[in-house]
Amino acid sequence: MPSPAEESEGLDRPNAPGLAGLERTVHSSAIFHECSYEFVEAIMLQIRKILLHPGKVLVKEEDAAPRSMYFVLFGTLDIYRLDQKIGSLTSGGVLGEGVLLGILDSWSYTVVARDSCMLAEMTSGVLGEVLQEHPEEAEYFEALLEYFAIRKEELEENSAHLRRSLRRMPCLRQVSEEFLQAIEKGLVHQLYFSEQSILTEGQDS
């Protein structure tokens, strides 16, 4: 896996490729599915555009920061878990919703720019500021956080259920407990919202 790099570099080019699709990407994001047009527009006014050069690390596995959500405008990002590549994101991709909202305590994967990439970043601070001016959305996100907090607590209380579910898979029935523990450690926690697609036919990863 490429070695970690320094901070992502800022870019302020209003006519940069991919920027025209930012509004469509943000409005269509599952996290804003129940939000008003005005709320999303207010978010967009404070989104920061950043440029990543090839090999640059955006976020690192197990790090609590940055508490941000990212929209891919152009380029390809490779995703690693335990030094193994597990997927990639291209234009229109979104990542970081769980970390942004505080539902996930840390990043469960490392993200590295495969080539030159432009992203739009929304920080938790920006989200908090905009929510102060939009009470309906504030109520929606509060309810969302309460829901996921309950689900997270249930998952932690029933951690043995995951192990049993893995053991029931035909290919894992005869493996050792140590092997199952290693698989569990490598699992990536991903947040999905109502009506959000998990997999798309023909999708590589």
Side-chain angles (χ1 to χ4, degrees):
M1 189 183 77
S3 58
E6 301 298 326
E7 293 183 8
S8 57
E9 298 179 0
L11 182 69
D12 186 15
R13 293 190 297 162
N15 295 318
L19 205 55
L22 174 58
E23 182 173 2
R24 181 176 63 255
T25 299
V26 175
H27 275 283
S28 62
S29 177
I31 192 174
F32 298 132
H33 181 71
E34 300 294 333
C35 299
S36 66
Y37 180 88
E38 292 74 19
F39 174 80
V40 178
E41 287 295 301
I43 287 288
M44 288 190 58
L45 290 175
Q46 300 193 55
I47 281 180
R48 182 174 75 106
K49 273 73 69 180
I50 59 176
L51 177 68
L52 296 181
H53 296 300
K56 207 148 209 180
V57 176
L58 176 66
V59 299
K60 293 180 65 177
E61 181 180 329
E62 305 301 339
D63 279 2
R67 312 297 298 187
S68 298
M69 173 180 175
Y70 298 93
F71 305 89
V72 184
L73 302 183
F74 69 74
T76 301
L77 297 171
D78 288 326
I79 302 173
Y80 295 85
R81 174 69 175 170
L82 301 177
D83 294 328
Q84 299 294 318
K85 182 181 174 183
I86 61 172
S88 60
L89 282 176
T90 56
S91 179
V94 177
L95 69 157
E97 300 98 321
V99 177
L100 170 78
L101 296 175
I103 296 171
L104 300 180
D105 298 325
S106 62
W107 291 88
S108 59
Y109 45 77
T110 296
V111 180
V112 183
R114 183 190 304 178
D115 46 29
S116 293
C117 302
M118 179 183 276
L119 313 175
E121 178 186 23
M122 180 177 67
T123 66
S124 57
V126 165
L127 178 62
E129 290 176 8
V130 177
L131 284 174
Q132 291 180 13
E133 304 297 326
H134 295 79
E136 290 187 4
E137 278 75 14
E139 183 177 342
Y140 163 70
F141 277 102
E142 182 178 352
L144 190 67
L145 289 175
E146 290 179 357
Y147 170 80
F148 278 111
I150 294 173
R151 300 284 83 79
K152 183 178 181 181
E153 183 177 345
E154 291 176 346
L155 180 62
E156 291 173 349
E157 291 177 351
N158 297 282
S159 57
H161 178 71
L162 174 59
R163 184 75 57 81
R164 289 194 298 269
S165 296
L166 290 172
R167 178 66 75 183
R168 283 196 293 267
M169 297 177 64
C171 60
L172 298 177
R173 288 174 182 169
Q174 303 300 320
V175 302
S176 66
E177 283 298 308
E178 291 77 11
F179 187 83
L180 282 183
Q181 290 175 7
I183 290 180
E184 283 188 75
K185 185 178 179 181
L187 294 177
V188 173
H189 296 276
Q190 182 66 41
L191 195 64
Y192 290 98
F193 297 87
S194 176
E195 300 184 19
Q196 182 178 0
S197 296
I198 298 177
L199 293 173
T200 303
E201 184 178 355
Q203 180 178 319
D204 291 334
S205 59

